[in-house]
């Protein structure tokens, strides 16, 4: 069965009720644009690398659809995760909106449908871009993927997939394997070198996410180099110590910047030159991601609550140690900041 038929069957299948309020790739319409472009060229004429007649409609429409799909996926995943982690009055109000229901089976099913939703649309975008390049004998379709990543609307790069996986793994742990059927496609190993989360999505798509904090890793590296110079450690000893410290640099109280890179909150605040208690929202718009060097990535940073909850459950001692260290650093920064403010106001 061709993908176009598979995609149409998915849109009008059992999940049609779920997809009614969701945007999706207009795969057939985009194929018609490419067919029109192909038929308007004289027979035997060589393909051009650019076709202004269809490019304007094709890429603008695909950008719009990818943005709408990403927005729909993000809003629905955030709402689902809010229901899972909310407590007190907030949790009560959220569940009130779902008619007093807190059906975890329904939450798991919704999460599964969201994973399939984003996967099918990501495949549709990949297929139609490949078809575009074939028709035009160009690499514009491949370059368009880079544009989607730069605009943070590349579907399979969303940090919310990590949050969904952590949600499944946490919920399965709470229910002692009750949701093995759904959670088996996700795995997370905090003790690996480097720590990693693996996702096996529908249609044989496999994703891996490195859960190492790059800032912590750099600090560990320089710390090893410093002590190595003092004590003259041999190369093998340094490598051994490095591997040990690498396994301890799992992101804690993690935040995903809008470029998709993960960092500990304290490390991200340090990179953005803001204090921990001030938060990433106060970062200068010109502040850059420590890895990709993109600017303006801190304003919409996302707190990875589910990932932190999973880390707390699986690595209790490590989580407590990091929590105490971050709390002490936050208290220290807060005291120094307000002492400086008081001295400035008093005048000495």
């Amino acid at each position: 069965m061709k993908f176009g038929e598979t995609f149409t069957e998915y849109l009008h299948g059992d999940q049609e009720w779920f997809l009614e309020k969701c945007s999706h790739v207009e795969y057939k319409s985009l194929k018609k644009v490419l067919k029109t472009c192909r038929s308007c060229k004289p027979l035997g004429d060589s393909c051009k690398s650019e076709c202004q007649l269809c490019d304007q409609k094709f890429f603008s429409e695909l950008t719009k659809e990818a943005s709408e799909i990403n927005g729909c996926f993000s809003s629905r995943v955030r709402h689902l995760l809010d229901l899972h982690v909310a407590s007190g009055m907030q949790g009560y109000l959220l569940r009130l909106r779902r008619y007093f229901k807190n059906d975890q089976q329904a939450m798991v099913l919704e999460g599964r449908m969201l994973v399939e939703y984003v996967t099918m649309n990501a495949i549709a975008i990949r297929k139609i871009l490949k078809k575009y390049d074939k028709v035009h004998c160009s690499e514009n379709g491949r370059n368009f993927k880079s544009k989607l990543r730069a605009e943070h609307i590349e579907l399979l790069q969303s940090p919310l997939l990590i949050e969904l996986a952590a949600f499944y793994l946490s919920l399965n742990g709470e229910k002692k394997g009750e949701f093995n059927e759904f959670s088996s496609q996700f795995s997370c190993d905090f003790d690996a070198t480097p720590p990693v989360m693996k996702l096996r999505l529908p249609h044989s798509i496999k994703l891996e996410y490195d859960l190492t904090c790059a800032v912590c890793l750099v600090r560990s590296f320089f710390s090893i180099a410093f002590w190595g110079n003092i004590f003259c450690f041999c190369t093998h000893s340094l490598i051994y110590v490095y591997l040990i410290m690498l396994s301890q640099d799992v992101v804690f109280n993690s935040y995903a910047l809008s470029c998709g890179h993960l960092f500990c909150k304290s490390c991200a605040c340090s990179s953005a030159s803001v204090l921990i208690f001030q938060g990433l929202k106060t970062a200068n718009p010109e502040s850059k991601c420590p890895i990709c060097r993109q600017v303006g990535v801190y304003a919409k940073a996302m707190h990875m609550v589910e990932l932190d909850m999973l880390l707390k459950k699986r690595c209790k001692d490590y989580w407590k140690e990091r929590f105490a260290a971050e709390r002490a650093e936050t208290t220290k920064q807060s005291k120094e900041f307000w002492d400086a403010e008081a001295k400035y106001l008093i005048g000495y």
Side-chain angles (χ1 to χ4, degrees), residues 19-277:
L19 299 169
E20 284 180 355
K21 297 181 180 179
C22 295
S23 302
H24 61 83
V25 176
E26 296 292 344
Y27 192 77
K28 285 187 176 180
S29 299
L30 293 171
K31 276 187 70 176
K32 285 181 181 178
V33 173
L34 296 181
K35 285 182 180 179
T36 304
C37 175
R38 183 185 295 173
S39 62
C40 73
K41 294 177 181 177
L43 187 64
D45 190 17
S46 61
C47 296
K48 299 178 181 178
S49 61
E50 294 182 1
C51 179
Q52 295 180 354
L53 292 173
C54 76
D55 276 11
Q56 185 176 1
K57 182 178 181 180
F58 181 87
F59 286 121
S60 61
E61 188 65 27
L62 192 55
T63 302
K64 179 184 175 184
E65 289 171 3
S67 180
E68 288 176 351
I69 293 165
N70 185 65
C72 179
F73 175 70
S74 298
S75 63
R76 297 193 72 157
V77 172
R78 288 175 189 273
H79 179 70
L80 175 66
L81 299 180
D82 283 343
L83 283 172
H84 182 231
V85 302
S87 59
M89 182 58 69
Q90 183 187 16
Y92 173 78
L93 292 175
L94 284 171
R95 293 183 183 107
L96 184 66
R97 291 174 60 182
R98 293 187 67 135
Y99 308 103
F100 300 97
K101 289 184 179 180
N102 183 23
D103 187 354
Q104 291 184 330
Q105 189 71 38
M107 291 169 66
V108 169
L109 180 60
E110 184 175 352
R112 187 182 186 183
M113 288 189 292
L114 284 167
V115 169
E116 188 170 5
Y117 166 70
V118 76
T119 304
M120 290 297 293
N121 281 283
I123 295 173
I125 291 174
R126 186 186 70 194
K127 293 277 188 181
I128 201 68
L129 289 175
K130 187 176 180 180
K131 194 173 289 292
Y132 174 93
D133 283 346
K134 184 178 180 181
V135 169
H136 295 86
C137 303
S138 74
E139 293 188 356
N140 290 345
R142 184 183 299 177
N143 296 334
F144 184 74
K145 291 181 184 178
S146 301
K147 180 186 175 183
L148 292 180
R149 292 191 189 98
E151 295 181 5
H152 316 308
I153 53 176
E154 212 287 324
L155 300 179
L156 295 183
Q157 298 296 319
S158 173
L160 285 169
L161 282 172
I162 301 177
E163 282 288 85
L164 267 179
F167 160 72
Y168 270 118
L169 293 170
S170 294
L171 201 59
N172 194 50
E174 291 172 7
K175 294 298 178 180
K176 298 180 180 179
E178 183 179 333
F179 301 119
N180 270 336
E181 179 185 353
F182 303 121
S183 62
S184 59
Q185 58 188 316
F186 308 116
S187 64
C188 183
D189 190 351
F190 290 118
D191 296 322
T193 305
V196 65
M197 177 173 282
K198 298 180 181 180
L199 284 69
R200 290 187 293 106
L201 304 182
H203 304 278
S204 304
I205 294 178
K206 296 180 181 181
L207 302 175
E208 286 192 11
Y209 297 94
D210 189 340
L211 302 180
T212 306
C213 174
V215 177
C216 288
L217 190 59
V218 170
R219 288 174 180 166
S220 297
F221 176 79
F222 281 109
S223 176
I224 293 168
F226 173 76
W227 290 110
N229 288 333
I230 290 179
F231 294 106
C232 301
F233 289 161
C234 68
T235 304
H236 293 294
S237 298
L238 285 174
I239 293 174
Y240 176 72
V241 175
Y242 172 75
L243 291 174
I244 292 175
M245 297 189 76
L246 177 62
S247 65
Q248 296 175 343
D249 292 325
V250 183
V251 284
F252 167 79
N253 194 11
S254 52
Y255 275 74
L257 306 187
S258 57
C259 59
H261 291 118
L262 296 179
F263 300 96
C264 307
K265 181 183 179 180
S266 57
C267 295
C269 288
S270 175
S271 300
S273 301
V274 296
L275 302 178
I276 298 174
F277 74 90

Side-chain angles (χ1 to χ4, degrees), residues 190-191 247-254 264-265 303-328:
F190 290 118
D191 296 322
S247 65
Q248 296 175 343
D249 292 325
V250 183
V251 284
F252 167 79
N253 194 11
S254 52
C264 307
K265 181 183 179 180
H303 189 194
M304 307 290 282
V305 180
E306 294 285 350
L307 181 60
D308 196 52
M309 287 173 58
L310 185 63
L311 178 66
K312 184 178 180 180
K313 290 174 182 176
R314 293 194 174 184
C315 307
K316 294 181 180 180
D317 293 338
Y318 174 79
W319 190 92
K320 288 179 181 178
E321 181 184 337
R322 290 294 303 270
F323 177 78
E326 185 180 283
R327 187 175 183 179

